[in-house]
Amino acid sequence: MATTEPIRSRNDLRRLADYFLERDQHRNYVMLVLGVHTTLRISDLLHLKWADVYDESHGRFRSHLHATEHKTKKQKSIALNQKAIDALALYYPNRKSEWIFVSRNGGTTPITRQQAWRIIKNACEYLGIEGTIACHSLRKTFGYMAWTSHEVSPVVIMDIYNHSNYEVTRRYLGVAQDDLDKAYREMDLF
């Protein structure tokens, strides 16, 4: 089984977002935006409810998303940036359920991981985005972009992913292989 890769190009990420927007697939657009900006695993992301992100009593989106990761049982407080809030606001008027990523079965359950995988996979294939891209790519993309842009300290990225050391994070994000590839490509011995 191939290792899932992050989306390595901001242009490809934008094209993927535009793909969903141009087709009025707001649910899928929100899945992409929240997946990339929150670093939640797809199983945690799909089980988000509107109450997790929207404060009904104050009529506004929350500044933070509080989630307990299913895999690690660790609690996370994730600041929702403006891009995430704007995506949620686009989709919020069309809500039909307590679930953000509601399935078409009458609104009683969220979409499945398999359906989320098909959504991402089909869009990437249509757009010709190369690599082993799947749902977990959304989680990895945040870290990859943060790491390669040098805008976020590697220590902070390690903490976001709950990794124990620098090498685990480099390997997880595919940065270790990118560094090796760069060394091979740039070395000119003649």
Side-chain angles (χ1 to χ4, degrees):
M1 183 159 125
T3 301
T4 302
E5 301 172 50
I7 298 168
R8 288 181 162 78
S9 158
R10 287 180 191 259
N11 184 52
D12 284 345
L13 192 56
R14 180 77 252 157
R15 288 175 50 228
L16 190 55
D18 290 344
Y19 173 88
F20 294 130
L21 286 174
E22 289 166 2
R23 288 160 179 76
D24 289 325
Q25 297 178 5
H26 295 143
R27 177 197 66 192
N28 300 344
Y29 173 71
V30 172
M31 182 175 64
L32 172 69
V33 172
L34 285 185
V36 169
H37 287 95
T38 65
T39 70
L40 288 173
R41 289 176 184 83
I42 196 67
S43 57
D44 295 326
L45 186 69
L46 295 179
H47 283 88
L48 290 177
K49 295 181 178 181
W50 284 109
D52 296 325
V53 297
Y54 192 80
D55 181 351
E56 193 72 42
S57 64
H58 290 95
R60 66 175 179 240
F61 287 95
R62 299 181 189 283
S63 62
H64 286 77
L65 165 65
H66 300 283
T68 302
E69 293 181 325
H70 180 74
K71 181 178 178 180
T72 65
K73 307 295 184 235
K74 292 183 179 180
Q75 290 191 347
K76 290 188 87 161
S77 178
I78 302 164
L80 293 173
N81 69 11
Q82 195 58 52
K83 185 66 128 182
I85 291 170
D86 290 347
L88 287 161
L90 178 69
Y91 184 44
Y92 186 73
N94 301 316
R95 68 191 183 283
K96 296 178 175 91
S97 168
E98 66 180 329
W99 303 102
I100 296 175
F101 305 105
V102 66
S103 70
R104 294 186 181 139
N105 70 356
T108 58
T109 60
I111 63 173
T112 65
R113 291 177 57 203
Q114 293 78 13
Q115 181 62 20
W117 177 83
R118 278 191 294 273
I119 290 165
I120 298 299
K121 194 74 175 160
N122 290 342
C124 287
E125 284 178 6
Y126 180 85
L127 295 170
I129 297 174
E130 295 183 11
T132 308
I133 308 298
C135 294
H136 205 64
S137 299
L138 305 182
R139 177 175 160 82
K140 289 184 174 188
T141 297
F142 173 92
Y144 182 85
M145 297 284 184
W147 189 287
T148 58
S149 71
H150 306 289
E151 294 176 20
V152 180
S153 163
V155 173
V156 172
I157 297 169
M158 286 170 42
D159 195 39
I160 286 170
Y161 291 111
N162 295 315
H163 289 164
S164 58
N165 65 57
Y166 179 83
E167 286 306 314
V168 169
T169 304
R170 285 182 69 234
R171 206 170 40 254
Y172 179 77
L173 299 176
V175 177
Q177 186 61 50
D178 286 353
D179 290 344
L180 294 172
D181 292 349
K182 182 178 178 187
Y184 284 121
R185 286 189 189 112
E186 292 180 0
M187 184 57 71
D188 185 357
L189 299 173
F190 294 95

